[in-house]
Amino acid sequence: MSENAGQPVWLITGSSAGLGLALTRYALSQGHRVIATSRSPPKTPDLVQEVESQGGKWLALDTTQTDQQIKEIVRQAESFFGRIDVLVNNAAFCVLGAVEDLPDADIVLQMRTNFLGPVRIMQAVLPGMRKRRSGMIMNVSSTQGFVASHACGVYAASKFALEAMSEACRAEVAAFGIRVLIIEPGAFRTGFANPSAAKYIEPSEAYAGEHVVNQRLIQVNKYIGTAMGSPEKAAMVMFEAATGKGAAGELIEKEKILRVILGPDSWKAIDMKIKELRRSADLIQEVAASTNL
């Protein structure tokens, strides 16, 4: 029996880059067992070899696959080490553009990738977690999953939906000893917004030029690769959050925190949204109360 046979088993989607890769590496470095996934493992043979040389596994998983295909992949993942203790729904991409300009096919693909796929994976791992009465589901959202901004409408919608499902699921599975966390990353130095990974919708005439949509698209392109967030530091916090270890993990577990905010930029945007919600709720209180029979 290997020396780490009793260590937790992770299933991490989107492991070939960004936060997924950083978390995969960090969990392995801590002696945990990791099943990494990506859409096309043959495209990253060095990463596959790196993970497997440390006792991990790598599977092909595309979040747009059918419900039955995802269930089969999860069954295969569970067969490697006998269970899945931590699910990290990290795989995602973003479609950027004005709501009016968004092609229907891109809206559907965005929701299938960022929302429906993660939900199906959750559904596939929950029976095993319920049976063992333990487990952790960590859904990677975004600042945009709490604060939607211009040019990010459908991406934000996909993350808002994932957050809503996470909140509901958290309440439903707590009795089974299963925890659910939402990760709220800000801007991190990954390739997430690169044109090769993201989908930029060319603004129509009304949204071109000096319009805020076009200016946002220009801004995102301009700052690719210059974000201040460190994926490696984010991975450490995510690991602590999942395990309840370290300063971050102890705080999150003790205070029953649902949303783990990563990055001062994310904290600032979320804090501003909360303040605005508080202001609006206070102002509209009497109007709300006036509608009863």
Side-chain angles (χ1 to χ4, degrees):
M1 182 178 291
S2 65
E3 61 182 23
N4 66 345
Q7 293 284 35
V9 179
W10 296 60
L11 175 63
I12 303 175
T13 70
S15 298
S16 60
L19 295 181
L21 177 57
L23 182 58
T24 295
R25 284 171 165 163
Y26 190 77
L28 286 169
S29 76
Q30 300 305 299
H32 289 207
R33 295 172 291 177
V34 177
I35 304 159
T37 76
S38 61
R39 285 184 300 169
S40 182
K43 291 184 177 180
T44 57
D46 292 344
L47 293 180
V48 174
Q49 196 278 328
E50 175 188 334
V51 167
E52 293 185 343
S53 70
Q54 297 179 68
K57 302 291 184 180
W58 201 298
L59 287 174
L61 188 155
D62 186 330
T63 58
T64 65
Q65 288 175 286
T66 67
D67 176 51
Q68 192 55 46
Q69 288 172 320
I70 286 176
K71 285 179 179 177
E72 182 54 41
I73 293 167
V74 169
R75 279 196 292 267
Q76 185 179 355
E78 289 174 328
S79 73
F80 289 137
F81 304 113
R83 65 184 192 273
I84 294 170
D85 298 302
V86 183
L87 166 65
V88 183
N89 269 318
N90 167 74
F93 85 111
C94 62
V95 174
L96 300 171
V99 170
E100 187 178 348
D101 291 340
L102 294 171
D104 186 69
D106 287 311
I107 295 173
V108 172
L109 180 60
Q110 183 79 109
M111 298 303 291
R112 287 179 63 202
T113 303
N114 293 4
F115 172 63
L116 184 56
V119 171
R120 286 172 168 170
I121 298 170
M122 289 166 63
Q123 291 175 324
V125 303
L126 277 170
M129 290 183 174
R130 276 194 299 100
K131 184 177 180 180
R132 293 186 304 277
R133 302 191 75 80
S134 68
M136 161 64 70
I137 294 175
M138 183 178 288
N139 289 329
V140 180
S141 180
S142 164
T143 308
Q144 292 292 326
F146 197 90
V147 186
S149 59
H150 47 280
C152 296
V154 68
Y155 175 67
S158 70
K159 293 300 189 177
F160 265 68
L162 183 61
E163 293 206 14
M165 195 69 82
S166 300
E167 284 191 28
C169 186
R170 182 199 199 196
E172 293 168 356
V173 301
F176 308 125
I178 302 168
R179 296 171 59 209
V180 178
L181 288 178
I182 300 170
I183 307 300
E184 308 274 10
F188 280 80
R189 197 164 296 187
T190 68
F192 190 69
N194 287 339
S196 60
K199 179 73 177 287
Y200 290 76
I201 306 299
E202 184 71 23
S204 58
E205 184 177 355
Y207 299 97
E210 296 303 313
H211 193 279
V212 293
V213 167
N214 190 51
Q215 291 304 304
R216 179 61 182 274
L217 297 178
I218 292 172
Q219 180 188 43
V220 172
N221 265 297
K222 182 179 179 181
Y223 291 108
I224 287 174
T226 63
M228 294 303 295
S230 163
E232 289 71 29
K233 290 183 178 180
M236 291 177 62
V237 174
M238 292 168 69
F239 181 87
E240 290 183 357
T243 60
K245 308 295 185 181
E250 291 174 4
L251 172 66
I252 291 161
E253 187 165 353
K254 177 185 177 182
E255 301 297 338
K256 304 294 187 280
I257 292 173
L258 171 62
R259 287 177 169 83
V260 181
I261 301 172
L262 300 180
D265 57 329
S266 182
W267 184 91
K268 181 179 179 180
I270 290 174
D271 184 57
M272 288 178 63
K273 172 74 173 281
I274 291 170
K275 288 177 179 176
E276 172 55 26
L277 288 172
R278 180 73 273 156
R279 185 187 75 87
S280 298
D282 289 343
L283 289 172
I284 207 74
Q285 182 176 9
E286 290 186 13
V287 174
S290 71
T291 58
N292 276 357
L293 290 172

